[in-house]
Amino acid sequence: MFTTIKKLTLLSCVLLSPLATAGTLEHIIEKGELHLCAHPAQMPFSSRAEKPKGFQIDVAKAIAEKLDVSLKTSWIMPRRQAKKVGCDLYSGVARLGDGDSKYMLISDPYLRLEFKLVTLKNKAPIHNLDDLKTMVVGVSSGSIASHALSSKNVEIAVRFADEASRLQALADGLIDAAIVSNVSSGWFQRQHGQQLTEVDAEKVLNVGLNYDYALGLRKADQKTREAFNQVLVDLKKEGTLPTLLNEYGVSPL
């Protein structure tokens, strides 16, 4: 599919200015490069220093291969830096509602982010908020989950800012439970060989936390979004997407 697209679009792209086509499929193919923006230290999502590099990087590489272009990665922390580096893609954004965004076009989802309330395997099971009353729960500061816990007088710890540090704090006995995504929980258990007890945080807290995960396409058009959607379909059908996500302990939609 994309070999044909490449031949057809290269001819038309030379008649268009780079600014007019920046971020579109035609522009990506013309320059022979897919430009990704990713966080430099947020495993298992992405990491500049570690190997593997995180599933966002692996997904972007698989997409670039399908498009027959190289992958360039700009490591940014606040997303507003994306404008400075001019990247085409985020390979992990929340898809909410109909998926539209004023800042980018969002693809069909390829993963479901589900938030889990996790404890060590030897702890008593958690069924409801009352079971948390004697515990300290690691959670993201200012999040929906933190407000839900605080409103029920559950002690929370917000000094562990990211999911990886929350899980390590749990393993070290500094907290009794943590709220993290299924991706981080799966990766931690694979890396450390340590089984955790997981329960659905939405059900325990009675709030909405879970969401679909998709590609964010900067300065793209509808044709580009449709092409990236098709790439995701192809990667899933041929087994590439399930295989690479399985390395991180999760499965695609």
Side-chain angles (χ1 to χ4, degrees):
M1 175 183 173
F2 288 101
T3 300
T4 303
I5 290 175
K6 188 169 184 177
K7 289 178 180 177
L8 292 174
T9 55
L10 279 176
L11 292 175
S12 61
C13 279
V14 297
L15 302 176
L16 301 172
S17 72
L19 288 177
T21 60
T24 64
L25 177 65
E26 288 88 349
H27 181 68
I28 292 166
I29 292 174
E30 181 190 22
K31 67 181 179 177
E33 178 183 85
L34 177 63
H35 189 175
L36 171 72
C37 274
H39 194 289
Q42 200 174 46
M43 281 298 285
F45 297 88
S46 60
S47 172
R48 185 174 190 171
E50 295 186 44
K51 291 184 179 180
K53 292 288 187 182
F55 78 86
Q56 288 186 2
I57 311 303
D58 291 349
V59 167
K61 284 180 179 177
I63 292 169
E65 288 177 7
K66 276 289 184 185
L67 296 176
D68 194 25
V69 296
S70 62
L71 179 68
K72 174 183 177 181
T73 303
S74 288
W75 302 100
I76 65 171
M77 292 187 72
R79 281 196 170 169
R80 63 177 177 271
Q81 290 181 345
K83 186 175 181 180
K84 294 182 179 179
V85 299
C87 57
D88 307 308
L89 173 73
Y90 302 112
S91 53
V93 298
R95 181 184 169 91
L96 306 173
D98 60 9
D100 288 334
S101 167
K102 63 182 288 187
Y103 302 106
M104 68 191 87
L105 293 184
I106 297 176
S107 76
D108 291 339
Y110 66 89
L111 180 68
R112 179 73 173 169
L113 243 62
E114 299 175 351
F115 287 84
K116 306 295 183 181
L117 185 57
V118 298
T119 56
L120 298 181
K121 201 70 176 177
N122 59 351
K123 292 287 185 178
I126 296 169
H127 302 291
N128 51 52
L129 279 166
D130 287 338
D131 294 330
L132 298 172
K133 292 294 179 67
T134 60
M135 296 185 180
V136 178
V137 182
V139 65
S140 177
S141 176
S143 64
I144 294 172
S146 70
H147 288 301
L149 290 165
S150 296
S151 69
K152 298 298 182 180
N153 298 315
V154 176
E155 186 176 355
I156 62 173
V158 297
R159 65 185 183 278
F160 308 108
D162 57 71
E163 294 188 341
S165 63
R166 237 170 280 156
L167 287 164
Q168 191 57 55
L170 179 67
D172 293 340
L174 301 176
I175 54 178
D176 303 299
I179 294 180
V180 297
S181 69
N182 53 334
V183 177
S184 290
S185 177
W187 176 248
F188 180 85
Q189 291 178 82
R190 275 182 175 267
Q191 287 294 97
H192 297 273
Q194 184 172 5
Q195 290 296 306
L196 302 174
T197 298
E198 297 181 348
V199 295
D200 187 340
E202 279 195 335
K203 289 183 178 179
V204 174
L205 275 59
N206 197 30
V207 292
L209 300 172
N210 304 338
Y211 55 85
D212 287 339
Y213 212 56
L215 308 175
L217 305 167
R218 298 186 66 251
K219 300 182 181 179
D221 56 14
Q222 182 59 25
K223 178 182 175 182
T224 302
R225 173 159 54 184
E226 291 171 358
F228 275 77
N229 284 341
Q230 185 59 51
V231 169
L232 290 174
V233 169
D234 293 343
L235 290 173
K236 185 175 181 180
K237 281 184 177 178
E238 69 189 25
T240 301
L241 188 59
T243 298
L244 74 84
L245 290 178
N246 184 61
E247 290 297 315
Y248 298 91
V250 290
S251 301
L253 280 173

